[in-house]
């Protein structure tokens, strides 16, 4: 197991295990980068500093491998993926979504949409290799997932409820999943999201025995 995988949150390590063998390094990088961007936003008290730190990663993603700094494990992972022909463009969209998080609260429709459309599309497109456009349903589920994840981590009660309400509206428009075997980690995340929407509340712990059982069952059976 790579160092990148070992450093993932336990829930992400479990989900990662159900990716196809040849796609696990990509999903590990996706989870790790998304967590790194989250750490930047979480630890930023001044918008300008947060923008500078995200800009550093934007430069990494747009530079040629030979121009990227050595010594950062995630940069090495990016280099390895690119050498294999991996498409990094969705990661720039993902980064746009995190940069939208620097907007001051409270948010209205525009801010929520800017965040959810970019983070969701970037995350799901990279997970699916970024070689083709997401389907209409995948795009909707990506937006819903971004809002659900925002709600799970937001400390502002009003913003948390607003995000979850928006997620719920999208999911209830049709909760059909639209992923083949390559998207199994994404469909697992969607299953967890849909379970919360059906209950009408956010699960207190996604790594509970009940949640782990749902992950394992869907990971194996796809249902």
């Amino acid at each position: 197991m790579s160092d990148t995988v070992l450093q993932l949150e336990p829930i992400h390590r479990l989900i990662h295990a159900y990716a196809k063998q040849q796609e696990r390094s990509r999903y590990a990088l996706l989870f790790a980068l998304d967590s790194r961007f989250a750490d930047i936003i979480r630890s930023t008290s001044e918008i300008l500093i947060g923008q500078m730190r995200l800009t550093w990663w934007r430069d990494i993603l747009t530079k040629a491998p030979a121009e990227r700094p050595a010594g950062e494990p995630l940069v090495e992972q990016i280099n390895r993926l690119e050498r294999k022909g991996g498409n990094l463009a969705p990661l720039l969209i993902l980064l746009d979504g995190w940069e939208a998080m620097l907007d001051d609260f409270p948010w209205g429709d525009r801010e929520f949409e800017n965040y959810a459309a970019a983070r969701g599309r970037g995350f799901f497109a990279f997970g699916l290799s970024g070689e083709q456009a997401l389907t209409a349903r995948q795009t909707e589920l990506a937006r819903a997932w971004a809002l659900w994840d925002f709600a799970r981590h937001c400390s502002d009660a009003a913003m948390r409820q607003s995000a979850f309400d928006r997620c719920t509206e999208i999911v209830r428009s049709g909760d059909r999943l639209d992923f083949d075997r390559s998207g199994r980690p994404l469909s697992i995340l969607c299953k967890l999201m849909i379970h919360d929407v059906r209950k009408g509340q956010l699960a207190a712990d996604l790594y509970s025995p009940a949640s782990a059982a749902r992950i394992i069952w869907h990971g194996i059976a796809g249902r």
Side-chain angles (χ1 to χ4, degrees):
M1 188 178 294
S2 71
D3 290 343
T4 302
V5 175
L6 290 171
Q7 291 172 13
L8 297 178
E9 296 177 18
I11 184 76
H12 290 156
R13 285 206 302 271
L14 178 58
I15 293 171
H16 164 270
Y18 293 100
K20 293 172 71 172
Q21 181 67 41
Q22 66 269 31
E23 295 167 350
R24 287 180 183 170
S25 61
R26 188 176 71 252
Y27 276 106
L29 175 61
L30 175 59
F31 284 131
L33 271 178
D34 193 61
S35 294
R36 181 67 63 87
F37 298 158
D39 287 342
I40 290 173
I41 298 301
R42 192 178 299 116
S43 62
T44 293
S45 57
E46 296 184 19
I47 292 177
L48 181 59
I49 300 300
Q51 288 173 332
M52 290 173 61
R53 294 173 69 188
L54 292 176
T55 295
W56 187 86
W57 279 104
R58 192 176 298 280
D59 289 344
I60 292 296
L61 293 170
T62 53
K63 285 180 178 177
E67 298 175 359
R68 294 172 184 147
E72 163 56 68
L74 288 184
V75 174
E76 295 302 317
Q77 289 283 91
I78 290 169
N79 289 343
R80 280 195 287 273
L81 180 78
E82 198 165 31
R83 283 196 292 269
K84 294 178 181 178
N87 181 5
L88 301 184
L91 293 178
L92 290 167
I93 301 171
L94 176 68
L95 190 57
D96 289 340
W98 280 109
E99 191 164 14
M101 289 279 290
L102 294 172
D103 285 345
D104 290 334
F105 289 177
W107 283 2
D109 291 342
R110 179 182 62 82
E111 291 86 358
F112 272 117
E113 181 58 28
N114 288 345
Y115 155 77
R119 185 179 173 212
R121 183 158 62 93
F123 192 97
F124 277 45
F126 188 74
L128 295 173
S129 301
E131 300 301 331
Q132 58 186 11
L134 299 179
T135 67
R137 189 56 191 157
Q138 287 170 348
T139 299
E140 288 298 287
L141 288 168
R143 289 174 56 235
W145 168 81
L147 291 163
W148 174 73
D149 195 68
F150 177 101
R152 290 198 52 77
H153 294 93
C154 183
S155 59
D156 183 289
M159 288 282 286
R160 180 170 61 248
Q161 188 61 51
S162 183
F164 189 50
D165 289 346
R166 292 163 191 270
C167 165
T168 297
E169 182 179 354
I170 296 170
V171 170
R172 287 183 175 168
S173 70
D175 60 7
R176 176 182 59 84
L177 298 182
D178 186 22
F179 300 96
D180 61 17
R181 182 65 181 82
S182 295
R184 186 59 51 82
L186 302 178
S187 64
I188 290 173
L189 289 171
C190 288
K191 277 286 187 180
L192 295 173
M193 170 185 70
I194 290 168
H195 184 263
D196 279 1
V197 167
R198 287 175 174 169
K199 287 192 310 175
Q201 64 182 35
L202 297 163
D205 181 9
L206 283 184
Y207 203 57
S208 67
S211 290
R214 280 190 288 274
I215 292 170
I216 292 168
W217 173 244
H218 184 72
I220 294 171
R223 297 195 296 272

